[in-house]
Structures are given as structure tokens and as C-alpha cells.
Amino acid sequence: MKKRSLLLAMALVAVLTGCQKKDTTTDKVSENKQTITEEVVAEQTDSEVVKIELSNSDILVNGEKISEDAESAVYKANDIIFYLENQGIQYGEGKKTDEHSQIEADAHTVVHITEPGVYEISGTMEAGQIFVDLGDGTKDDEDAVATLILNNADITCTIAPAIFFYRTYECAGDVSEEDAVMDVDTSTAGANIVLAEGSSNKVYGSYVAEIYESCEMNEEGTEVVDSKRLHKYDGAVYSRRSMNVSGTGSLEIVAENEGMCSEMHMTIQDGNIRIKSGNDGINASEDNISVFAMNGGNLKIQVTGETGEGDGIDSNGWLVVNGGSVNSSACATSMDAGIDADKGIYINGGTVIASGNMNAEIAEGKQPAVSFFADQMLESEEKYEIKDTDGNVIAEVSPSNAFRMLAVSSEAISAEGSYTLWLDDTQLAEGMQGGMQPPKGMEPPQRPENKKM
């Protein structure tokens, strides 16, 4: 095998690894990575990687001009899914700010990927989308797997997700809330992103507000009383199936709405990922089922709050951190949390720094966490110190947004320890073990129960 093939194969580590129960300890994750590496190196060859070179003019596929034939494995078209302007209330739930013109849509090039495989993407596309659709019936087809290797790719889409996994294999199958568990393994998921070694990648993406397939109006014809959804895609990087992200490169996501979203599970295995988003930085959205897992790498999230709200990481099921580094700042002006999960937050390893204004309880994981509750808003970008009872600084944090609540977990935090939060010579708060439960009299307003993003 060529040296370059070996590097690409090794970059696929832990990505081609179904959503089955697994031990969530760091040791087990490491074992899985080693096994998967050996399998990938044995099977991957350079000729099997389809190389897509993006451009604002001529897009190349394996060195040749991209096809416009919809029967091709890779082809281009101007057929992006978006929220069309001036359609009335029977069209969808979008507001004026969610609408786009047909002219803007036609200016976007969609690079369609229609067959399973490994696709290396490089170059720049200033108005376009990578759209992966492996076809009908692929949700249950374990061979319907697409892996996108981002190798110095720069993709901008101003009206929809910039990277969109539409139909691939769903390794979790059809899971009911009663059967849902947090110990899932997304190793055979159909949607995969790999950050090539040493690469620097950037994605600027928008979203698609809800579009109806059908709807019923009230008798006056002035209000939608019932509807069936056709489209709704909130994130700059979006997958309708479980998704993995790994590799040794970097990825910067700038999102009008949410940053990176999956309608089922999402696992980050590795990589340096930075997200700046108008709403949730990361969202795993299936109610009481989804699992967001962080096994390695570095993840930094800043919710800028253009939408008026947003958690750093929001899982509508479980949130599990087994390793890596998470630094997550929620919207500064809303009742949101740096990390939030409806079914529980479990920290088993790594480093977590999560700031916000909402009460998001951290369950009892294998690694303790300490939480701080200030009686006033604390400014962003200051250097805050966490000290133990002897006055030793065990951690320094600089949240990207103003905050009132801070949760920290690392190997330096002891379950028996006592900690305080300082700015210069001023003590700001005393720490509480076990997660985000503020002392009596300091509880902030709770986020409305119907807030689901």
C-alpha cells in the first residue's frame, strides 16, 4: 500500500467501527480504535478513495470535470433544498428571516454523492453544499456507508446545511424510548466525517426552517392546526442518521443556527473542532433516544445567540464524555447551559468546562464534576481560577461568553475535594460536587419545558 493510502486509512480510525451496547470506559474506546485501525489498513487502497476538488467554477472528480448526470456516483446540480420566500402559512413554519429567493438558491451548486464509499474533499466552494443521498431503503442497509475525508476543504452555504447526510445506513435501527440506552456504539454508522491529518477545514452553513408536506387549516383559513413535516434541517453540518467525526485535522464551523446536528446519535472520536453558532453548537435531537458521545479530540463551542438562545451541547437523550476536551459556552442572554441532556450527563474522563445560565444537572459518572453558581453575571474572556482548600490553582478557565453557572470536570477534581472560583484576588463562588444544583436562594429561572431544539 502507498504511504499516502496508509495515512488516509489511519485517518479512518474509529469511523468505520453498529450502534450496539458498549462499555463506555476510555480503555474500551482505545481497544476499539486499535482494532478498527488494523481492519481499515488491511482493506483501504488509494484507488478506492474518490477525490473531489471543490472550486467556484470547475469542480473535479478524480481529476476530471464533475458530471451533471444524475446517474453518476458524484454529480452536480442546482437543486438545493431551501425555504422559498413569499409562500404563505400553508408552506411551512418559517419566518421572514428564514426565507430565501430562488435566485440565491440557483447560485448554489450541490455536489451529490449517491454511492457508498470514501470521498476525499478539498478546495473551496463559496456557494454550495455536499449532499449525501445513498437512496431509498438505505436506512436498513449496513453497506450504505459514506465517509467524507475533509482535506483542506472550505465550504459555504448561505441557505441550507453546507454538509448534509440525507439518506444513509442507520446503525441504531428503529429504537423505541423504552428500549433506548446511553451505551451505544456508532462504529458502523452510515454518516462519517474524517479530518485528514494536518488539514484545516472550514464550514459556514445555514439551515432550513420547517416545510410542510401537507397541512390542515382552521375554518377561517388563517392558522395551521395540523401538519406533516417534509423538511427541517437546523445545522450547518447535518445528518438524518447517526454520525461519527474523527481524524487528526481541524474543523471550524460557523453556523447561522445550529452547528453540528444529528437526528439520532453523534460521536466525536478525535479532531480539533471549533464551533461558533447562532443556536445550539451541537444537537442530537431524537427525544429520549439520542446519545452524544465525546471520546477524544478537542471541542470548543461558543453560542453567539443570534437566535436568542442556545445550549453549547444539547442532547435530547444522553450526553456522555469518555475522553478529550470540551470547552462549551452557552448563549449569554438566555436560560441555557454549556452542556445539557434530557436523560442525563455522564462524565467518565477527559476535561469538561461548561458555562451558561441554566440548571443542567450532571449525573454520577466515573469522573467527578464541580459546579459554581455566581450571584451575578460574570464577564467573558477573563481568566478565572479554580482553587482547592490549600489555595492551589488546579484549573484556569476563560469562558467565551458571559455566564452565571460553571461546571468543570477533570482528573484534577476529587470527589472529596472542596473548591472555590476566583478572579484575581476575589472569591466569586464556592463549588458544589455532583453537578448543576444551585444552593437555595440562588436558583435561576428554569428554561420552559417545551423548549426543544
Side-chain angles (χ1 to χ4, degrees), residues 353-356 370-379 382-389 391-399 403-408 413 418-432 442:
I353 300 169
S355 60
V370 61
S371 298
F372 301 92
F373 307 88
D375 58 5
Q376 62 184 357
M377 290 293 290
L378 302 180
E379 294 184 5
E382 297 281 3
K383 184 185 290 185
Y384 298 95
E385 296 178 336
I386 298 172
K387 299 181 180 181
D388 63 17
T389 52
N392 299 314
V393 177
I394 64 165
E396 294 181 348
V397 300
S398 297
F403 66 100
R404 191 179 165 200
M405 294 189 170
L406 174 71
V408 178
I413 301 292
S418 179
Y419 304 96
T420 49
L421 180 67
W422 295 74
L423 178 61
D424 298 326
D425 296 326
T426 303
Q427 181 178 319
L428 302 172
E430 294 184 359
M432 299 186 66
M442 293 183 62

Side-chain angles (χ1 to χ4, degrees), residues 318-332:
W318 290 271
L319 192 159
V320 182
V321 179
N322 296 313
S325 171
V326 176
N327 188 335
S328 182
S329 295
C331 177

Side-chain angles (χ1 to χ4, degrees), residues 301-377:
I301 296 172
Q302 180 185 14
V303 179
T304 58
E306 278 87 350
T307 64
E309 61 186 357
D311 296 308
I313 303 174
D314 181 12
S315 175
N316 290 358
W318 290 271
L319 192 159
V320 182
V321 179
N322 296 313
S325 171
V326 176
N327 188 335
S328 182
S329 295
C331 177
T333 58
S334 62
M335 290 299 108
D336 287 292
I339 52 176
D340 182 41
D342 293 346
K343 299 286 285 185
I345 299 168
Y346 294 82
I347 302 175
N348 301 316
T351 299
V352 176
I353 300 169
S355 60
N357 299 305
M358 196 193 79
N359 176 13
E361 183 178 359
I362 299 176
E364 185 177 351
K366 296 180 181 179
Q367 180 171 284
V370 61
S371 298
F372 301 92
F373 307 88
D375 58 5
Q376 62 184 357
M377 290 293 290

Side-chain angles (χ1 to χ4, degrees), residues 287-304:
D287 289 348
N288 300 313
I289 293 177
S290 286
V291 178
F292 170 79
M294 180 83 180
N295 291 335
N298 301 294
L299 174 63
K300 185 171 184 179
I301 296 172
Q302 180 185 14
V303 179
T304 58

Side-chain angles (χ1 to χ4, degrees), residues 153-333:
D154 190 337
I155 308 167
T156 296
C157 185
T158 62
I159 63 175
I163 297 177
F164 191 176
F165 291 93
Y166 189 69
R167 288 184 294 190
T168 62
Y169 174 55
E170 176 49 70
C171 58
D174 293 321
V175 181
S176 66
E177 293 186 17
E178 293 74 18
D179 296 331
V181 296
M182 71 173 177
D183 296 329
V184 299
D185 176 4
T186 61
S187 57
T188 60
N192 304 285
I193 292 176
V194 175
L195 309 177
E197 182 177 3
S199 68
S200 178
N201 306 280
K202 185 172 182 179
V203 170
Y204 177 92
S206 188
Y207 61 97
V208 180
E210 181 165 338
I211 300 172
Y212 301 141
E213 180 177 9
S214 60
C215 68
E216 296 179 10
M217 308 294 292
N218 61 10
E219 292 183 359
E220 293 78 19
T222 59
E223 183 181 351
V224 176
V225 295
D226 192 21
S227 65
K228 183 178 180 181
R229 178 187 298 176
L230 179 62
H231 299 295
K232 184 179 186 292
Y233 314 114
D234 291 330
V237 176
Y238 196 91
S239 180
R240 297 176 66 210
R241 309 288 187 248
S242 292
M243 177 172 68
N244 298 303
V245 181
S246 73
T248 55
S250 67
L251 173 61
E252 179 182 358
I253 298 174
V254 178
E256 287 187 17
N257 191 28
E258 296 182 351
M260 192 158 54
C261 306
S262 170
E263 291 185 14
M264 187 56 80
H265 306 309
M266 185 191 307
T267 302
I268 294 179
Q269 297 283 13
D270 211 341
N272 296 304
I273 302 167
R274 186 183 183 96
I275 299 174
K276 185 177 286 189
S277 59
N279 205 300
D280 298 339
I282 285 179
N283 190 321
S285 65
E286 186 66 16
D287 289 348
N288 300 313
I289 293 177
S290 286
V291 178
F292 170 79
M294 180 83 180
N295 291 335
N298 301 294
L299 174 63
K300 185 171 184 179
I301 296 172
Q302 180 185 14
V303 179
T304 58
E306 278 87 350
T307 64
E309 61 186 357
D311 296 308
I313 303 174
D314 181 12
S315 175
N316 290 358
W318 290 271
L319 192 159
V320 182
V321 179
N322 296 313
S325 171
V326 176
N327 188 335
S328 182
S329 295
C331 177
T333 58

Side-chain angles (χ1 to χ4, degrees), residues 33-183:
K33 284 187 176 182
Q34 181 63 34
T35 301
I36 297 151
T37 303
E38 293 170 355
E39 291 175 354
V40 171
V41 169
E43 296 176 3
Q44 185 69 29
T45 65
D46 191 59
S47 62
E48 293 174 331
V49 178
V50 178
K51 298 175 177 62
I52 302 173
E53 185 176 348
L54 302 176
S55 168
N56 294 325
S57 52
D58 293 329
I59 298 171
L60 302 180
V61 179
N62 289 336
E64 298 183 358
K65 188 174 180 179
I66 190 171
S67 173
E68 297 184 19
D69 182 358
E71 299 299 317
S72 300
V74 181
Y75 72 95
K76 73 171 184 177
N78 296 95
D79 57 352
I80 196 165
I81 298 170
F82 73 106
Y83 199 98
L84 182 61
E85 64 184 358
N86 302 324
Q87 297 301 298
I89 62 173
Q90 296 187 34
Y91 179 72
E93 291 188 354
K95 301 176 182 178
K96 196 67 179 177
T97 52
D98 303 318
E99 297 179 355
H100 299 279
S101 70
Q102 188 65 55
I103 293 174
E104 186 179 5
D106 290 342
H108 281 71
T109 298
V110 180
V111 176
H112 289 263
I113 295 174
T114 67
E115 294 183 2
V118 180
Y119 299 83
E120 180 184 350
I121 299 173
S122 61
T124 299
M125 185 163 58
E126 294 180 349
Q129 178 188 73
I130 306 298
F131 186 81
V132 180
D133 184 4
L134 305 187
D136 291 334
T138 53
K139 182 178 180 180
D140 300 317
D141 181 359
E142 62 184 13
D143 293 326
V145 176
T147 298
L148 305 182
I149 301 174
L150 302 186
N151 192 0
N152 297 313
D154 190 337
I155 308 167
T156 296
C157 185
T158 62
I159 63 175
I163 297 177
F164 191 176
F165 291 93
Y166 189 69
R167 288 184 294 190
T168 62
Y169 174 55
E170 176 49 70
C171 58
D174 293 321
V175 181
S176 66
E177 293 186 17
E178 293 74 18
D179 296 331
V181 296
M182 71 173 177
D183 296 329

